[in-house]
Amino acid sequence: MTHHDPLQKADFGAIYDQPDPRAYFSTLQPFGYVIPQYGADAFTRLLSVLPIRDVSPTVLDVCSSYGIVGTLLRSDLRLSDLYAHYTDPTTSAQSPQTLREADRKLIAERAKGAAPRVVGLDVAPNAVAYGVEIGAIDAGVTDNLETDDPSGRLTELLAGVDLITTTGGVGYVTERTFDRLLRSCPKDVWVAAFCLRTYDYHPIATTLARHGLRTERMSRTFPQRRFTDEDERQWAISRVRERGLDPEGKEADGYYHADLYLSRPLDATETRHVDALLADAF
Ligand SMILES: C[S@@+](CC[C@H](N)C(=O)[O-])C[C@H]1O[C@@H](n2cnc3c(N)ncnc32)[C@H](O)[C@@H]1O
């Protein structure tokens, strides 16, 4: 299912907009794709410390796909549970509609008492519809902010956002998307983004700074997934070297690694460094 030209990142586009996430999980499982769980653990911790306007905070998950981070934030299910569920032979035999109904029940049964509200943004309409239908995300939009300004509906949703998150999204989305988001979000929104070390986050951090947010990078990095093959490994190693980074112990060991960036208002009252905020979150 993957398409891979020599020396570039593998293309998983075919699994991003299916009627349900079975192909997503069965394709990514062999590569140990784990970043949504690190994301959910980090975002849950951040939600417990950021100042919120309402009774429950609102997250905007950028590149939300089938609502995977939403499921992990809103229920006590872990990513390992989702892999087991979506690759189970019983699940494989179900029709998309039967699966949706079962998943909706599962998420409702496993819902956390104090769950955040999650808005999903992704250009994949089937994935977004699935996420909304099973209750992984409370609302979903398919605007492409790389090319267009937000729709009226998205603009309304953005007005209530406390935390913008993304895992596996930077590269697909750039400073163009973040600029458009920040124009409509509250001035004190926080942004927590995992970004592969093969990509440069500086253009996004610079854009966020123009909107009054200061960015910190966590000291540790996070394995995202194994490389699909030797060509991809070589591509990633040369990209991080070009960026002046050392691949030893990270990409050289066969894994993409992501940095975690946290951006918050200059006058934020919670001022501990992101390393301290997330010290024991994982
Ligand atoms: C690698 S997946 C990551 C999905 C999920 N966040 C995760 O960690 O499993 C990348 C996602 O980015 C979405 N995407 C690509 N271009 C986009 C854009 N311009 N705006 C929003 N989403 C986009 C794709 O549809 C896909 O769902």
Side-chain angles (χ1 to χ4, degrees):
M1 184 86 66
T2 61
H3 168 72
H4 191 181
D5 290 332
L7 298 194
Q8 63 175 30
K9 186 162 174 280
D11 177 2
F12 286 107
I15 58 173
Y16 290 164
D17 198 28
Q18 299 287 318
D20 60 63
R22 283 176 287 194
Y24 192 84
F25 283 101
S26 59
T27 303
L28 290 173
Q29 188 173 44
F31 304 116
Y33 184 70
V34 288
I35 205 69
Q37 186 64 61
Y38 284 120
D41 291 344
F43 308 148
T44 298
R45 173 58 58 88
L46 292 174
L47 287 169
S48 72
V49 294
L50 63 70
I52 51 165
R53 277 165 283 280
D54 215 331
V55 273
S56 72
T58 299
V59 174
L60 173 78
D61 190 39
V62 178
C63 299
S64 55
S65 181
Y66 301 91
I68 297 158
V69 165
T71 297
L72 301 178
L73 289 179
R74 292 169 45 73
S75 73
D76 67 2
L77 292 160
R78 308 276 302 167
L79 189 62
S80 52
D81 298 321
L82 301 185
Y83 274 117
H85 171 59
Y86 287 110
T87 59
D88 186 278
T90 318
T91 306
S92 310
Q94 285 172 337
S95 72
Q97 197 46 42
T98 307
L99 180 63
R100 277 166 192 243
E101 283 154 21
D103 289 352
R104 188 172 177 81
K105 265 198 203 145
L106 178 68
I107 291 182
E109 275 164 20
R110 302 289 294 267
K112 284 181 190 162
R117 187 177 137 73
V118 181
V119 177
L121 169 68
D122 198 294
V123 291
N126 293 318
V128 168
Y130 174 86
V132 172
E133 210 175 311
I134 66 164
I137 50 179
D138 300 273
V141 278
T142 56
D143 300 43
N144 186 346
L145 302 184
E146 287 297 294
T147 52
D148 297 303
D149 283 336
S151 58
R153 174 151 184 261
L154 177 54
T155 304
E156 266 176 37
L157 289 167
L158 291 178
V161 169
D162 297 285
L163 175 66
I164 299 176
T165 60
T166 193
T167 61
V170 175
Y172 295 103
V173 293
T174 70
E175 65 277 15
R176 287 188 285 276
T177 289
F178 284 90
D179 188 37
R180 287 186 161 119
L181 289 175
L182 267 288
R183 281 189 227 160
S184 299
C185 280
K187 294 290 160 241
D188 57 350
V189 70
W190 288 25
V191 180
F194 284 78
C195 173
L196 283 181
R197 284 163 29 106
T198 47
Y199 298 114
D200 184 7
Y201 195 73
H202 284 107
I204 295 175
T206 305
T207 299
L208 297 179
R210 281 210 315 276
H211 289 279
L213 304 187
R214 186 185 54 224
T215 298
E216 288 172 351
R217 179 170 53 79
M218 206 174 175
S219 308
R220 65 161 288 183
T221 64
F222 298 84
Q224 177 146 326
R225 68 162 165 83
R226 276 189 290 281
F227 299 123
T228 50
D229 59 20
E230 179 57 25
D231 282 349
E232 196 183 43
R233 191 178 89 97
Q234 280 182 28
W235 175 80
I237 288 176
S238 63
R239 278 289 289 240
V240 297
R241 286 216 172 104
E242 278 162 25
R243 298 198 50 238
L245 303 174
D246 181 2
E248 275 322 300
K250 301 182 195 289
E251 293 82 3
D253 287 354
Y255 279 83
Y256 274 115
H257 273 250
D259 282 311
L260 171 56
Y261 293 91
L262 175 65
S263 310
R264 46 194 156 148
L266 289 168
D267 60 357
T269 47
E270 172 52 78
T271 55
R272 278 176 292 168
H273 189 271
V274 61
D275 282 343
L277 285 179
L278 298 178
D280 54 358
F282 307 101

